Amino acid sequence: MNDRTGNSFDISILDFEEQSYLQYEWGEGWVQFELSPKDDGCLLVLKEYIPRLSDHTPKDLSGWHVCLVMFSAVLEGQYMDFPKGEWEKWYEKYVKLLNQL
C-alpha cells in the first residue's frame, strides 16, 4: 500500500469470503469491509479494530471517514480526488472527540 506520501508498506489479508467480507491488518489492529445483500444493491459496513488509542488514531478515523464519502461519490458516478480540506475538518473533530475519552 502507498499512503500518497511516497511511503509504501506491506499489509496482509487476514481473512476474506468472496462477495461477503475482506479483513486485513492495519497497524496494530485490522480493518474489515463487509457486504450484505439488499433488495436494491448491497450494504457496505466498515469496521476497524483499534487495540489502543494513539496520536495516529484520529488520522485513521478521518481518513476512513473521507474514504467512505469518496466510495459514495464513485457509486453516484462522480470521481473525486482525495479531499484534503475535508479530511482536515474531520481530523479536528476526531481529535476533540478522542480527547474526551
Side-chain angles (χ1 to χ4, degrees):
M1 186 183 109
N2 185 309
D3 68 2
R4 298 185 68 176
T5 66
N7 297 319
S8 294
F9 52 95
D10 293 332
I11 57 176
S12 296
I13 294 174
L14 301 173
D15 199 7
F16 80 98
E17 183 175 321
E18 190 172 326
Q19 298 185 12
S20 181
Y21 65 89
L22 169 65
Q23 181 179 350
Y24 54 92
E25 63 183 14
W26 191 255
E28 295 177 5
W30 51 260
V31 169
Q32 182 169 306
F33 289 96
E34 297 176 354
L35 296 174
S36 301
K38 294 288 186 186
D39 290 338
D40 59 348
C42 71
L43 173 68
L44 171 66
V45 175
L46 167 67
K47 295 180 179 179
E48 181 177 10
Y49 171 69
I50 303 169
R52 64 180 180 83
L53 298 179
S54 71
D55 290 344
H56 200 270
T57 303
K59 293 176 183 178
D60 278 348
L61 294 175
S62 55
W64 289 121
H65 191 118
V66 170
C67 284
L68 291 173
V69 170
M70 293 175 70
F71 291 168
S72 292
V74 168
L75 292 172
E76 294 172 8
Q78 303 168 353
Y79 172 81
M80 63 188 299
D81 287 324
F82 187 84
K84 185 166 176 146
E86 188 73 9
W87 178 89
E88 290 169 346
K89 178 185 86 172
W90 284 107
Y91 173 74
E92 293 301 324
K93 289 182 179 189
Y94 283 115
V95 166
K96 288 178 184 174
L97 179 67
L98 292 172
N99 283 337
Q100 295 176 17
L101 299 178

